[in-house]
Structure formats: structure tokens, C-alpha cells
Amino acid sequence: MTNTKCIFEKKRIDNVQWSGVSRISSLPSLPNDGKSPPLKIPLFYLTSVSINDYEDDIYFVNNTDQTLHFVAPFKLYQNLNEAGAKLGDVSVENLNKVTFYSNDMDRLYTDVLPNQGVRIDSTHIIYDSDYLIQHFIHVPFKGLDTHYGIWRFNVVEKGGIGQSYPLLWDDFSKPSHMVSCDCMSERGEIPIEPSVYEERCWVLDSLIQSLGVTNAIFILAINDVLYRYCVGWSAPYNESDIQAKDIARKLQELKPSDADAVEEIIQAVYDFWFNVGFAKNIPVEACAEILDLYKEWMANN
């Protein structure tokens, strides 16, 4: 498996064509002669490319006619809890978790073209043959009932993936061998995209310099919620931190006990900075998440 302590070597292969042979069946697809069931073609799949007699590179292949904004062969997170980060922990280890993707950005691919494969890992026929190997892969793409979402593929196989390994069929159905493939399309469930990684790190560094580590993490977590739910407007990540600061301050002053009180605080902050009623229909889920953050912050201070 890939050694994450080493520099990851990115590779791309152009004009990769689906062979019609799946590792699962080891049989070619049935002919499209009108008598057989309709052929299933994967929108995305994994394929292995031999390096030598013992090693294979594993590639993710974009088998669609659209360019993918990014391919992230690692976990994406919605919030600090998913990343294993904590409020009130000022350790270097925790700060590394707070930044989410600091150990993975060298494996991020952008603008992955149609029929292009990108290397996501490698396997060794001897060293990896007895181990379960897991891959998390995230790509932005439409869903069955939505024009945009983040697809999360969870692959678990022993020893490797073989020649070709479909991740999602062209009718958006899940291949039977997949652990899971889910399309996250609701604002609350979409993770923080790696495209805002640098902005988010800049915001965190700026907050630490002016307010200290503890308050910086708290405000950053609030800003994550505002960003994910598009509260107020679809501002760049590094422009809503002003409102996040004010929300954090008012939470500490007013000590809300429920999500309704949090909504009033958020509304008041946006009314102050913009026109009255600028932030309409603030999702109750966003208010509940911010309330939980406030409770955790209080427990650590």
C-alpha cells in the first residue's frame, strides 16, 4: 500500500478505454445485440497497471464525458468531529486534524479529463496479498435526481482490485461488490471541499494570530457550518469569518440554550452586517450544529 510518509507520485494516463471486463465476473460483457440485457457501463472505475512482476499501480478512471473538478482519493470531512479534531485542544496533533487535509493534499487531482486515469495507490503482490485494502474516493458529479453532489466511494478488497473494478454504473446503481457509493447533495451533508483548503488554512492562521488557538478553532468550526449551509450568501470561505467571529462572541455573551436562540443570534449578526432579513431561512440543522459547538466550547473553557 502507499506509504503516506513518502512523497506521493502523481501519474495520469490519457485515453483509457473501458474493456468491458470486470474483476468480479472475469467475463466480458454480453454483446449489445438486442437479445441480451442492456450493457452496463461504469461512470467511474478502478484499474490496475503493472509496474513489474510484483507491483501494480491503481488508477481511478473518469469514464464520463465530463471533466471532474477534482478527484480526492482520501476522506473528506463535514466538521471537526469527523476529522477527529477537538475544541479546546491546542496540541500540534489536534491542529493538524483541524486543517483536515494537510496530509492528503499531495494526492489531490484537479481537472481530471474524460477517459483519463489518475494514480491513487499501489499494491505489492506479496506484501499486500493477505491484507484488506481500503480506498475512500470523492468526486463531484451529478446524481440520479440532482445536478450536483459529492460522490463518496468506499472500496474494501483483499490484496488488490484486479484488472477492472466498477465504482458506479451509468444508471447510477451501486455495483454489488462495493461497500458503499453515496451521492451527498444536500448542503448539510456535503463535506468541506479540498478546493478551499488553502483559504481555510489562511483563515485559521489569521485567527490564531489575533485570538489564540482555542478561540480560533471555535470560530473556524462555526465558519465551516456557515459555509456548508450557505448561510446568508455563497461567499468565499475567507469572507464569512467576520460573521463567524461575531456569532462566537454573541454565543459567549448570550449563552443560548436551544437552536431557536442560536438562529436569533445568527440573524442579528447578518442583519448588522447586511440588510435586515438578508439571511433568510437559516436551516435549523445549521443552528443545531452551532449550538453543539457552543456547548463543547463551554465544556472546555
Side-chain angles (χ1 to χ4, degrees):
M1 296 177 64
T2 300
N3 184 351
T4 55
K5 294 182 180 179
C6 299
I7 297 176
F8 183 78
E9 183 181 3
K10 289 183 179 178
K11 297 179 183 178
R12 297 186 187 231
I13 301 177
D14 295 328
N15 300 316
V16 183
Q17 300 299 320
W18 168 246
S19 65
V21 178
S22 171
R23 168 200 184 277
I24 305 306
S25 66
S26 298
L27 295 174
S29 300
L30 295 173
N32 190 11
D33 55 9
K35 300 178 182 179
S36 304
L39 296 178
K40 279 190 174 183
I41 304 297
L43 294 171
F44 312 109
Y45 64 95
L46 302 182
T47 190
S48 58
V49 176
S50 177
I51 304 173
N52 52 48
D53 291 341
Y54 300 100
E55 295 178 284
D56 289 342
D57 275 341
I58 299 175
Y59 283 78
F60 168 93
V61 180
N62 174 17
N63 201 40
T64 75
D65 59 359
Q66 300 180 33
T67 297
L68 299 177
H69 178 50
F70 68 82
V71 172
F74 48 85
K75 281 187 176 182
L76 299 186
Y77 304 115
Q78 295 177 7
N79 50 50
L80 298 186
N81 284 338
E82 284 195 353
K86 299 178 181 179
L87 297 180
D89 186 344
V90 300
S91 67
V92 173
E93 180 183 2
N94 190 62
L95 275 176
N96 189 52
K97 293 178 181 178
V98 168
T99 57
F100 283 3
Y101 313 131
S102 58
N103 293 329
D104 300 305
M105 288 300 290
D106 64 330
R107 296 190 290 144
L108 177 71
Y109 291 90
T110 58
D111 298 326
V112 177
L113 302 175
N115 300 117
Q116 188 174 68
V118 292
R119 178 179 179 268
I120 64 169
D121 205 348
S122 62
T123 58
H124 194 284
I125 193 173
I126 296 176
Y127 299 145
D128 295 328
S129 60
D130 293 330
Y131 295 95
L132 287 175
I133 299 175
Q134 185 172 33
H135 300 284
F136 286 101
I137 306 165
H138 291 79
V139 298
F141 195 69
K142 63 184 178 181
L144 182 61
D145 300 313
T146 181
H147 69 282
Y148 182 82
I150 302 293
W151 282 90
R152 173 182 288 164
F153 302 110
N154 183 6
V155 178
V156 179
E157 287 293 336
K158 185 176 181 179
I161 53 94
Q163 181 181 358
S164 296
Y165 193 96
L167 299 174
L168 181 68
W169 295 118
D170 55 358
D171 61 358
F172 296 100
S173 62
K174 178 176 78 74
S176 59
H177 55 271
M178 286 288 293
V179 174
S180 63
C181 59
D182 303 304
C183 181
M184 298 169 285
S185 58
E186 298 295 329
R187 290 303 311 177
E189 64 182 6
I190 290 180
I192 300 292
E193 296 187 12
S195 57
V196 300
Y197 169 77
E198 291 186 2
E199 281 183 71
R200 196 169 173 276
C201 287
W202 181 87
V203 169
L204 178 61
D205 289 342
S206 177
L207 291 171
I208 289 175
Q209 290 177 15
S210 60
L211 299 171
V213 175
T214 300
N215 287 326
I217 297 175
F218 181 41
I219 295 169
L220 188 82
I222 293 173
N223 204 40
D224 285 346
V225 178
L226 300 178
Y227 178 79
R228 283 175 38 236
Y229 285 95
C230 291
V231 174
W233 60 342
S234 298
Y237 187 92
N238 62 1
E239 291 185 9
S240 56
D241 63 306
I242 298 174
Q243 287 74 49
K245 287 180 188 177
D246 279 1
I247 291 170
R249 177 176 55 81
K250 284 187 172 293
L251 288 170
Q252 295 162 13
E253 290 176 357
L254 301 177
K255 299 177 174 55
S257 59
D258 54 39
D260 289 338
V262 172
E263 182 181 6
E264 291 179 4
I265 289 173
I266 297 173
Q267 188 69 67
V269 168
Y270 277 89
D271 285 351
F272 173 80
W273 283 99
F274 307 100
N275 297 325
V276 174
F278 181 82
K280 296 180 179 179
N281 302 319
I282 301 170
V284 64
E285 295 85 359
C287 299
E289 286 191 35
I290 291 177
L291 178 63
D292 287 341
L293 288 171
Y294 166 68
K295 290 179 178 178
E296 184 180 349
W297 184 86
M298 286 292 292
N300 288 282
N301 288 275

